[in-house]
Amino acid sequence: MSSVKSSPSLQGASGLAGALLGPITHTLHEVGGLVLFLKLILKTALTTRGNTPAILEQVLSICSRSLATVVFAGTFVGAIIVLQFNAVLLVYDAQIFLGGLNTSAIVREIGPLMITFILAGKIGAFTAAELGTMRVTEQIDAVECLGTNPVQYLVLPRFIGIVISSLILLALGIMISMLGSTFVATFLCGMNPLQYMSTITRFVGVWTLFCGAAKSLVYGLIVGGVACQKGYTARGGARGVGTAVTQAALYMSLFVILANYITSNSLNWIHDFLGAALGWVDG
Amino acid sequence: MSIRFESLSKSFGPKTVLKNVSFEVSTGEILFILGKSGMGKSVTLKHIVGVMKPDEGRVFVDGDDVTQLDDNGLADVRRKCGMVFQHPALLDSLNVYQNVSFGLRTPQYTRSLPRPLTEEEIRTKVTETLRLVNLGTDIFDRYPPEISYGMQKRVSLARTLAPGPTYLLFDEPTTGLDPITTNAVNDLIFELSRKLKVTSVVVSHDMQCALKIADRVLVLDQAGILALQTVPEIKRSREPLIRDFLAETLALLPPEERAELEAHS
Ligand SMILES: Nc1ncnc2c1ncn2[C@@H]1O[C@H](COP(=O)(O)OP(=O)(O)O)[C@@H](O)[C@H]1O
Ligand SMILES: [Mg+2]
């Protein structure tokens, strides 16, 4: 405590600064922890033998567990966005663009986010709890003592499984929500399905698909990384596992939203750069 | 040639768990580490196999400084030092057979052999070690969640014994076991050390069993060593904490031993 007597308003201000800075430094600390853990995963991936069967098993298990939810959510998300866009486009007499706008929004933004939040809620939380339990019941120590690298054996397959699955589920989710959107556009917005689909290719090209895939990849890395890190570093019994899962849930969502902002900006910048430098234009 | 701690200190955040701890385990002996819960007994064991690193100080296993070893050196230490964890720590995704044979398939073990074991040899070894802990081949295909806690602990013990370690580190091997299994496990620790000349470090809070099979007892308290004494010395100790531990066992002792203990208090 400083010996200088500060006025109440100053104290209030420093309290406010503390209240604002606390979460920021805390978040930066968490980002640092995640980056270090991703570095460990990368190092392990590069220096040890891959375990393809274990990865495939994870991908299969993750996809089959999330399939129903992705289909369900995908259908309705597509449907909702169509209705919202339709209302606005009708005002400007531009309903013809509904298919293009809607698909572009789904591929660039809503699809990746939707898949990620499903993965985070279902698989991320599960993975954090599973690895956390392994940590607090000393399974991870046991594996290490018996001569197996626990990051290679337990973490890598789960991490890679989540990343690959998020790409697969994205592709699936997008197709499902396109179907859902077409259905709603046809039956609720009174459009001819062919008319609806006619503008899709004007808005959605290779670049848009690339953006969707790039975002899903980044989000998948975040979900897999945070879930594995929180689980792997859990400690302190059942309570510790609970904390690990809660923290995983919080930071997965937080980091994905931050990453969304950063990737959107970077992708736009790259697109402009490519356009200016190479004259490349693509939706 | 044995296990030696040299001025080892370890803190977690503000909490000092071990401070300047030094001791040596002699070859072939059974050393019991006693202490209240949270006193750093498990932490002590984990330093021997290098799954925890000290803030200061060193740990030697057969003259090698565990804190400085590279991956290969560490693998050698871990092959020599079998650790039986407090939890059964079996992998739920593997059945009993796969769990017990886990350590027989890793390079840490196989590189000390002229060639990796055949499946036949692994099977024989697994069967033999399970027999040591009074389990039969009928549970090979069971998964850990399907068998009782006591069985899990014995399977876990078998998993550690299978690669034939020369040092055995037990973290509360009998906690949570019924009295009959407890006796069997204690007898097993005793036999392994007497017949196979295995050196054992046993973390426990079971004074009765310490009195029965230990050569020496190390008592941890307040981040340091309160006592490191032979069993007869422990029995005569005037330390209040040790007397408390002894008092708990009094009722369980045969009358003549009880009289001997009570004479010192
Ligand atoms: N990985 C860890 N991180 C933080 N604190 C730990 C860790 N491991 C152990 N501790 C703390 O160290 C102390 C000693 O733990 P431990 O050795 O497990 O006690 P015990 O003597 O009961 O085996 C406890 O207070 C525990 O909370
Ligand atoms: Mg313990």
Side-chain angles (χ1 to χ4, degrees):
Chain A
M1 288 287 107
S2 74
S3 55
V4 183
K5 206 180 140 219
S6 52
S7 70
S9 70
L10 251 178
Q11 271 176 1
S14 74
L16 185 66
L20 285 173
L21 277 179
I24 293 178
T25 50
H26 194 79
T27 307
L28 286 178
H29 184 82
E30 292 291 336
V31 174
L34 176 63
V35 170
L36 286 181
F37 192 74
L38 289 175
K39 210 176 113 190
L40 173 68
I41 288 182
L42 185 68
K43 189 182 141 214
T44 312
L46 294 178
T47 53
T48 60
R49 214 148 34 95
N51 188 347
T52 320
I55 294 173
L56 283 180
E57 194 188 314
Q58 287 293 330
V59 171
L60 269 180
S61 138
I62 293 173
C63 288
S64 62
R65 275 183 290 162
S66 318
L67 196 64
T69 327
V70 168
V71 169
F72 185 80
T75 314
F76 283 95
V77 167
I80 295 161
I81 305 294
V82 160
L83 288 178
Q84 299 289 4
F85 274 141
N86 188 50
V88 178
L89 290 175
L90 277 180
V91 173
Y92 295 99
D93 197 17
Q95 200 193 28
I96 184 73
F97 295 121
L98 186 58
L101 270 181
N102 184 56
T103 312
S104 169
I106 288 175
V107 174
R108 279 171 189 265
E109 280 295 335
I110 297 149
L113 278 182
M114 176 188 80
I115 305 296
T116 304
F117 286 127
I118 290 174
L119 270 179
K122 274 195 101 136
I123 312 303
F126 177 85
T127 304
E130 193 185 25
L131 285 175
T133 306
M134 289 181 167
R135 168 59 80 192
V136 302
T137 60
E138 301 176 304
Q139 290 178 47
I140 292 179
D141 288 333
V143 162
E144 193 172 356
C145 283
L146 290 166
T148 299
N149 181 338
V151 176
Q152 175 201 12
Y153 183 70
L154 299 171
V155 175
L156 260 184
R158 286 172 174 77
F159 175 78
I160 298 178
I162 291 180
V163 176
I164 295 180
S165 303
S166 62
L167 292 174
I168 297 177
L169 291 172
L170 174 77
L172 183 82
I174 286 175
M175 283 189 278
I176 302 279
S177 47
M178 281 173 74
L179 280 179
S181 318
T182 315
F183 185 85
V184 171
T186 313
F187 291 100
L188 295 181
C189 308
M191 279 185 90
N192 171 337
L194 289 179
Q195 202 186 13
Y196 171 82
M197 288 189 267
S198 66
T199 49
I200 291 183
T201 47
R202 276 173 65 187
F203 284 80
V204 181
V206 178
W207 177 253
T208 307
L209 291 177
F210 172 77
C211 287
K215 281 188 174 184
S216 297
L217 181 67
V218 172
Y219 302 166
L221 290 171
I222 290 174
V223 170
V226 172
C228 292
Q229 183 219 358
K230 289 296 169 193
Y232 192 75
T233 56
R235 56 175 191 81
R239 209 189 156 79
V241 177
T243 310
V245 176
T246 323
Q247 290 216 329
L250 172 66
Y251 288 108
M252 282 187 286
S253 338
L254 201 61
F255 290 169
V256 162
I257 290 171
L258 278 175
N260 187 4
Y261 179 77
I262 296 170
T263 44
S264 293
N265 266 328
S266 322
L267 286 168
N268 282 342
W269 185 83
I270 295 173
H271 187 250
D272 291 348
F273 174 79
L274 288 178
L278 310 170
W280 188 59
V281 271
D282 187 15
Chain B
M1 286 289 156
S2 194
I3 298 170
R4 193 170 84 242
F5 278 65
E6 250 182 43
S7 335
L8 184 128
S9 299
K10 178 75 177 175
S11 305
F12 294 104
K15 181 173 173 148
T16 303
V17 177
L18 298 173
K19 193 165 162 55
N20 219 355
V21 166
S22 306
F23 66 93
E24 187 165 354
V25 189
S26 327
T27 309
E29 83 166 330
I30 302 180
L31 176 76
F32 263 64
I33 300 183
L34 255 61
K36 287 180 292 189
S37 118
M39 281 304 147
K41 305 185 296 291
S42 302
V43 168
T44 305
L45 279 194
K46 285 177 184 175
H47 277 93
I48 301 175
V49 284
V51 292
M52 242 177 218
K53 299 269 178 241
D55 300 334
E56 275 168 55
R58 311 201 282 176
V59 184
F60 293 92
V61 173
D62 289 347
D64 293 323
D65 183 353
V66 178
T67 60
Q68 303 295 325
L69 288 175
D70 60 3
D71 287 351
N72 277 334
L74 216 47
D76 277 336
V77 167
R78 287 174 182 162
R79 185 176 48 75
K80 284 188 282 195
C81 300
M83 175 104 167
V84 185
F85 289 90
Q86 187 167 348
H87 295 86
L90 299 170
L91 291 168
D92 288 347
S93 56
L94 304 181
N95 64 26
V96 167
Y97 179 76
Q98 290 163 332
N99 264 295
V100 178
S101 60
F102 193 94
L104 298 173
R105 300 177 197 277
T106 54
Q108 174 175 304
Y109 175 71
T110 52
R111 69 193 185 138
S112 66
L113 311 171
R115 55 164 179 80
L117 298 182
T118 63
E119 200 56 42
E120 193 97 346
E121 288 166 323
I122 289 180
R123 213 177 171 78
T124 315
K125 255 190 190 302
V126 172
T127 311
E128 279 170 3
T129 16
L130 277 178
R131 193 179 303 134
L132 274 181
V133 294
N134 286 325
L135 290 172
T137 54
D138 51 312
I139 62 160
F140 271 9
D141 299 328
R142 308 275 285 279
Y143 284 82
E146 302 168 1
I147 58 178
S148 72
Y149 181 79
M151 274 185 172
Q152 289 179 26
K153 276 203 93 147
R154 281 184 283 161
V155 172
S156 167
L157 178 51
R159 176 178 66 178
T160 305
L161 293 177
T166 44
Y167 298 98
L168 276 171
L169 317 173
F170 294 92
D171 198 349
E172 306 200 10
T174 56
T175 305
L177 296 185
D178 61 86
I180 295 171
T181 317
T182 299
N183 274 335
V185 169
N186 284 335
D187 290 346
L188 180 66
I189 297 174
F190 191 73
E191 254 174 59
L192 286 169
S193 108
R194 291 299 174 263
K195 279 196 199 143
L196 304 176
K197 301 269 173 274
V198 173
T199 307
S200 302
V201 182
V202 186
V203 161
S204 176
H205 45 230
D206 184 350
M207 180 58 107
Q208 195 204 359
C209 133
L211 295 183
K212 208 164 100 190
I213 65 172
D215 294 304
R216 289 190 303 162
V217 178
L218 186 157
V219 184
L220 276 181
D221 197 38
Q222 311 298 346
I225 296 178
L226 182 70
L228 175 51
Q229 297 173 318
T230 61
V231 168
E233 285 167 342
I234 285 285
K235 283 182 178 170
R236 290 195 299 271
S237 174
R238 301 219 161 274
E239 278 294 339
L241 179 72
I242 298 176
R243 300 260 26 123
D244 282 349
F245 269 116
L246 287 169
E248 289 213 343
T249 69
L250 275 183
L252 304 163
L253 290 177
E256 64 276 11
E257 275 185 58
R258 194 186 320 167
E260 188 200 332
L261 271 181
E262 274 168 342
H264 298 296
S265 54

